Amino acid sequence: MSVRQQARRAEAGTWTAALRAARGEPEGRVVVFPHAGAGPNALMPLLAALPDTYDVLGVTLPGRERRFSESYDSTPENPGAVVDGVLAELTGLPSCPTVYFGHSMGVSVAVAVALADPGACARLVLSAHPPSGVKFEREAAWNDAVLLEVVRLGGGTPQEIMDSPFWRTYVLGLLRSDLTLAARLVRRNLDGRITMPLTVLGGDRDELVNVRELVAWQDRAEAGARMRVFPGGHFYLLDEPNRRAVAAEITGAFPA
């Protein structure tokens, strides 16, 4: 590996870490903002379909994956600290064409980071999350019954996890934190101008987000929005028949 290649490799930070380095000089950098209750590795079945000519970085909030031991309870109290922390690490990387990819709650974080520094991101790829947020993202009246309904409608959580008292409590607490953070970021984001182009994706049988709600991104996108709907539910992007096509939407978001 050349000195130049070594210099451009992303060092693991608090908020971001490399999921996969490009083979040789990268054509671009994909920054992944995952859904509520999860870290970026949950999206690896999709990310593995990205060409190996791209660097792939993941954003990890406290309380999951490599940050499992960190408390997540106070994360929603200061949304700005999340945005500033992610942005500081991204802007410290060597210059490279960059696309942010957010899924579900991760969309609210990706948009907030893009609004904080519009020049750092060439395009946003936003999946399964309308600009006004999801009805379950709120700051009050939380209870386990509501969170369990989110889990049921979203799908994708193994039943053995929910059958374990420890993991059930942990997952519901993490969801409560993440969805509260998303609600607060959505409110902040509504005041911002989205100047970069958008690609908006969704599943036609998503029980958490009606795909008709996603059309509202067209009113926010000053540089235009590409819309595409796939067969499937909230996690349509992890369905094997969709992975390559979704990956192509992400890499197709880079400037020619």
Side-chain angles (χ1 to χ4, degrees), residues 107-109 111-113 115-116 126 129-134 137 139 181-194 213 216-217 219-222:
V107 166
S108 62
V109 186
V111 171
V113 174
L115 289 174
L126 310 178
H129 195 275
S132 58
V134 178
E137 295 170 351
E139 299 185 45
L181 173 66
R184 293 174 178 173
L185 286 174
V186 162
R187 190 171 65 244
R188 284 171 41 127
N189 293 344
L190 290 175
D191 295 328
R193 293 178 57 231
I194 301 178
E213 298 178 77
W217 283 113
D219 297 329
R220 297 291 313 279
E222 297 183 7

Side-chain angles (χ1 to χ4, degrees), residues 152-231:
R152 185 188 71 80
L153 294 175
T157 302
Q159 187 58 45
E160 55 266 29
I161 294 292
M162 303 311 294
D163 288 341
S164 163
F166 172 82
W167 287 112
R168 179 179 181 274
T169 299
Y170 197 88
V171 167
L172 296 186
L174 203 57
L175 279 176
R176 182 178 287 111
S177 174
D178 285 356
L179 297 179
T180 304
L181 173 66
R184 293 174 178 173
L185 286 174
V186 162
R187 190 171 65 244
R188 284 171 41 127
N189 293 344
L190 290 175
D191 295 328
R193 293 178 57 231
I194 301 178
T195 56
M196 68 285 296
L198 305 182
T199 296
V200 181
L201 311 175
D204 64 358
R205 297 188 299 277
D206 189 338
E207 295 188 76
L208 282 176
V209 178
N210 189 304
V211 291
R212 290 191 293 271
E213 298 178 77
L214 301 179
V215 177
W217 283 113
Q218 293 179 333
D219 297 329
R220 297 291 313 279
E222 297 183 7
R226 169 179 167 79
M227 309 285 300
R228 185 167 179 187
V229 177
F230 290 86

Side-chain angles (χ1 to χ4, degrees), residues 31-184:
V31 183
V32 180
F33 297 79
H35 49 285
N41 284 306
L43 298 177
M44 282 306 294
L46 163 67
L47 303 177
L50 293 170
D52 63 8
T53 51
Y54 292 87
D55 281 341
V56 184
L57 270 66
V59 172
T60 307
L61 301 184
R64 70 219 72 200
E65 293 185 4
R66 62 187 178 84
R67 303 185 69 182
F68 181 81
S69 62
E70 299 179 41
S71 173
Y72 54 78
D73 292 337
S74 62
T75 304
E77 295 176 6
N78 189 356
V82 176
V83 175
D84 292 345
V86 173
L87 187 59
E89 293 182 13
L90 293 179
T91 54
L93 296 174
S95 178
C96 183
T98 300
V99 162
Y100 295 168
F101 170 65
H103 175 63
S104 194
M105 180 275 286
V107 166
S108 62
V109 186
V111 171
V113 174
L115 289 174
D117 186 358
C121 170
R123 192 179 186 103
L124 286 166
V125 181
L126 310 178
S127 167
H129 195 275
S132 58
V134 178
K135 64 180 179 179
F136 293 103
E137 295 170 351
R138 57 199 189 192
E139 299 185 45
W142 282 112
N143 58 61
D144 285 359
V146 172
L147 294 169
L148 287 169
E149 182 69 356
V150 173
V151 173
R152 185 188 71 80
L153 294 175
T157 302
Q159 187 58 45
E160 55 266 29
I161 294 292
M162 303 311 294
D163 288 341
S164 163
F166 172 82
W167 287 112
R168 179 179 181 274
T169 299
Y170 197 88
V171 167
L172 296 186
L174 203 57
L175 279 176
R176 182 178 287 111
S177 174
D178 285 356
L179 297 179
T180 304
L181 173 66
R184 293 174 178 173

Side-chain angles (χ1 to χ4, degrees), residues 11-50:
E11 297 293 334
T14 300
W15 299 93
T16 65
L19 299 177
R20 191 195 68 193
R23 182 175 298 176
E25 286 297 312
E27 294 182 18
R29 177 183 296 131
V30 178
V31 183
V32 180
F33 297 79
H35 49 285
N41 284 306
L43 298 177
M44 282 306 294
L46 163 67
L47 303 177
L50 293 170

